[in-house]
Amino acid sequence: MPPRATPPEVFAALAAERGLRLEPAELEELRAAYDALPLLLDRLRRKAREKGADMLPVVNVVWAP
Amino acid sequence: MSDDLCALTIAEAAAAYGAGTLTPTRLVRAYLERIERVDGATHAYVHVCRDAALAAAVRAEAEMARGSSRGPLHGIPLAVKDIIATAGVPTTANSRLLAGHVPQADATVWARLAHAGAILLGKAETQEFAIGGPAPDALYPPPRNPWNLACYTGGSSGGSGAAVAASLCSAALGTDTNGSVRMPAARCGIVGLKPTYGRVSRRGIYPLAFTLDTCGPMARSVADCALMLEVMAGHDPADAASRPVPVPRYREALSPDLAGVRIGVVRHFTTADATAAPAVNEAFDVAVAVLADRGASLRDVRMANVWDYTAVGMVITMAEAWAIHGHDLTTRPEAFNSYSRARFMLGAFVGGGDYVEAQRFRRELAVDYARLMADLDVVVSPSLLFTDWQMSAVGKLYYLQQPMPTTPFSVLGAPAITVPCGFADGDLPIGLQIAAKPFDEMAVLRVGHAYEQATPWHSRRPPL
């Protein structure tokens, strides 16, 4: 999946909603990173769709399966 | 001669103390002199405890003269990552938010080492809050790789890695959330051990990601990591993740023989899921042959795609770190360095649902790993994808494009060690990663030690 391309003004509004105050250059860097996030998030969402209700709940996180 | 002393392992220094050929004050003085001469180039330390270390050395010497030994760490000078609280000594996490902060109490892990007689030589550089570096606007400058000062050590325990590799301490403490002990250890050509999640107390260590953070030893030999872990490990009710699991005598794991040891070889992290530099995969192939020669039985195995672990590890880290730092990031963002701001602020865009799916996926991965390990003692992979990492080429958010072979074992909560396994790009070290079942540090120490004893890589020192 190609990274998304969020318009700068839309991302600026998203950042402001979250209380983030950044200089324009840093805001633009963060927008590029935000647009790359689906590369990670879509893996999680795809796995959740595959497993559905069979996916294990969050308990005893790692060392006591 | 003084530099020769500085290169001693913990075991060698302890033996010299026992034989009466070396004293703690002589060793501490040798390190202080070398730090003065070398650390202007390496930037491993942010604070050196000159007077306190000398005073502690005098006390240790007096105890030894009375015939009172506290064990193999007695009188051993260590560096401690500057995110680990040390009573009366500045602990800043390399952040302007904590500039001048002097804790009143030791972190549990340092209290245990100090009780065993270890001497605090100084505080080693950390990326800001163990994530924000190497930023040009950091409170303290980033460390340089002792093998090539134009290159980065990796992080976030880069100061600890540089200090051990440059012979500026006997060994060091680091913390590891997604690879922050193993990555700088591999890049600096030393040994670094990430213990099982819950094995070593994090009380008094500034958190990055609650469900991933661990604290581990960084040293010039596997045996030294075993010596340190024996002291560091153990249940601490003050850390909610700490587990009441018995601590073995790790030194008993150390044997040059691997007969009967079953090893899974994970090649796809660095050949298919991501592509490592050819020299890294070649060194790994040679290392696998060495393990077979020591008597281990090996077979290729498949784990999940390294990007699956990366997605889980990064989403959990971003969400948990945002929970810790979100308030400061929205009220005084200028207090953070520019790398920290970018890395932490991305967490503002990770939703609650994403975090829950990451933890559920993590559980699936842990169950799959337990199945895989049912008939294996350890798995091995390269520790890094490449060696030549110029300081100027480290991007703020590089990990969105490039996975790390260390992350899988962080997500799994499993113990993993890196040991030197070769050099590339001139003289830059390559690391071999060895991981085992949760709480089986004995297995990674055994295999790491046997590999180390069969190869020359751990005995090489950078030209400083």
Side-chain angles (χ1 to χ4, degrees):
Chain A
M1 164 179 284
R4 59 191 163 197
T6 309
E9 63 279 11
V10 173
F11 181 70
L14 286 172
E17 274 175 21
R18 287 158 176 79
L20 305 182
R21 291 181 288 115
L22 286 170
E23 297 297 319
E26 285 196 27
L27 190 66
E28 185 54 22
E29 284 177 342
L30 191 61
R31 182 176 71 91
Y34 170 79
D35 283 343
L37 263 185
L39 297 172
L40 302 179
L41 299 180
D42 286 351
R43 282 184 174 268
L44 307 179
R45 293 166 183 166
R46 193 164 57 239
K47 183 71 174 179
R49 279 198 303 274
E50 279 171 21
K51 300 284 289 195
D54 293 337
M55 199 160 173
L56 294 163
V58 182
V59 288
N60 293 336
V61 174
V62 279
W63 15 247
Chain B
M1 181 58 193
S2 174
D3 283 350
D4 292 344
L5 293 182
C6 293
L8 293 175
T9 64
I10 293 174
E12 289 166 343
Y17 289 163
T21 57
L22 179 65
T23 63
T25 50
R26 192 165 158 230
L27 186 57
V28 167
R29 283 187 197 284
Y31 280 126
L32 291 173
E33 184 277 327
R34 185 167 167 82
I35 290 167
E36 183 76 25
R37 185 156 44 88
V38 170
D39 201 35
T42 50
H43 302 304
Y45 284 95
V46 300
H47 181 85
V48 178
C49 306
R50 171 174 291 277
D51 295 339
L54 280 168
V58 169
R59 283 196 302 275
E61 212 161 299
E63 289 174 354
M64 290 174 186
R66 289 197 305 271
S68 169
S69 172
R70 301 198 201 188
L73 296 183
H74 199 180
I76 298 298
L78 301 181
V80 173
K81 185 177 182 179
D82 195 35
I83 201 163
I84 300 171
T86 44
V89 177
T91 301
T92 68
N94 200 356
S95 178
R96 290 177 185 84
L97 289 155
L98 292 177
H101 172 61
V102 179
Q104 297 196 342
D106 286 326
T108 297
V109 66
W110 176 248
R112 290 183 178 196
L113 287 163
H115 183 71
I119 293 171
L120 180 60
L121 197 52
K123 302 302 288 288
E125 188 272 355
T126 171
Q127 293 183 353
E128 184 175 29
F129 292 119
I131 198 170
D137 55 347
L139 177 62
Y140 297 111
R144 302 275 171 167
N145 193 320
W147 291 95
N148 180 339
L149 295 172
C151 290
Y152 187 37
T153 55
S156 61
S157 311
S160 298
V164 175
S167 299
L168 302 178
C169 58
S170 294
L173 281 185
T175 61
D176 192 317
T177 301
N178 285 291
S180 285
V181 160
R182 290 162 288 160
M183 184 159 69
R187 291 196 178 282
C188 292
I190 63 167
V191 183
L193 170 63
K194 182 201 89 70
T196 305
Y197 179 79
R199 176 59 101 181
V200 173
S201 170
R202 295 103 34 97
R203 187 191 69 87
I205 300 175
Y206 208 97
L208 171 59
F210 305 113
T211 69
L212 290 165
D213 291 342
T214 62
C215 175
M218 302 169 75
R220 287 190 282 273
S221 74
V222 175
D224 283 1
C225 285
L227 288 172
M228 290 177 71
L229 188 63
E230 269 189 37
V231 174
M232 296 163 62
H235 184 228
D236 177 10
D239 175 358
S242 177
R243 305 303 295 169
V245 178
V247 178
R249 282 180 59 83
Y250 292 115
R251 281 172 281 180
E252 292 174 0
L254 307 179
S255 153
D257 176 36
L258 292 178
V261 175
R262 302 160 301 172
I263 299 179
V265 180
V266 184
R267 299 183 191 278
H268 61 90
F269 287 172
T270 56
T271 59
D273 308 342
T275 306
V280 169
N281 284 328
E282 286 162 16
F284 179 65
D285 290 342
V286 174
V288 166
V290 170
L291 295 171
D293 189 55
R294 305 309 291 180
S297 64
L298 295 101
R299 64 181 169 89
D300 283 10
V301 297
R302 278 205 72 82
M303 295 175 60
N305 189 306
V306 72
W307 276 109
D308 286 348
Y309 300 104
T310 301
V312 169
M314 290 303 127
V315 168
I316 291 172
T317 301
M318 286 190 283
E320 294 185 358
W322 177 255
I324 295 165
H325 295 286
H327 177 74
D328 284 330
L329 286 159
T330 53
T331 56
R332 43 180 178 167
E334 66 286 349
F336 292 84
N337 77 47
S338 54
Y339 279 48
S340 299
R341 269 198 302 275
R343 292 174 181 184
F344 281 139
M345 283 186 173
L346 199 53
F349 301 97
V350 174
D354 297 320
Y355 178 73
V356 170
E357 295 304 0
Q359 289 287 16
R360 294 176 79 202
F361 194 176
R362 180 186 194 180
R363 181 108 168 98
E364 298 278 340
L365 293 167
V367 169
D368 289 347
Y369 184 64
R371 281 196 201 104
L372 174 73
M373 296 302 287
D375 61 354
L376 291 172
D377 297 300
V378 300
V379 290
V380 294
S381 79
S383 302
L384 299 167
L385 293 181
F386 60 94
T387 58
D388 184 7
W389 208 14
Q390 298 287 312
M391 189 71 86
S392 57
V394 183
K396 285 182 184 172
L397 293 153
Y398 70 89
Y399 48 79
L400 293 174
Q401 277 86 40
Q402 172 194 302
M404 298 183 294
T406 50
T407 301
F409 305 105
S410 299
V411 167
L412 296 166
I417 200 168
T418 181
V419 294
C421 74
F423 288 81
D425 298 314
D427 255 341
L428 287 166
I430 304 172
L432 168 68
Q433 181 173 232
I434 304 158
K437 303 178 185 77
F439 293 104
D440 194 5
E441 282 82 2
M442 290 287 268
V444 299
L445 290 164
R446 178 180 180 187
V447 176
H449 177 75
Y451 174 79
E452 181 186 78
Q453 296 307 300
T455 54
W457 310 118
H458 66 287
S459 58
R460 288 178 65 172
R461 297 283 170 265
L464 283 172

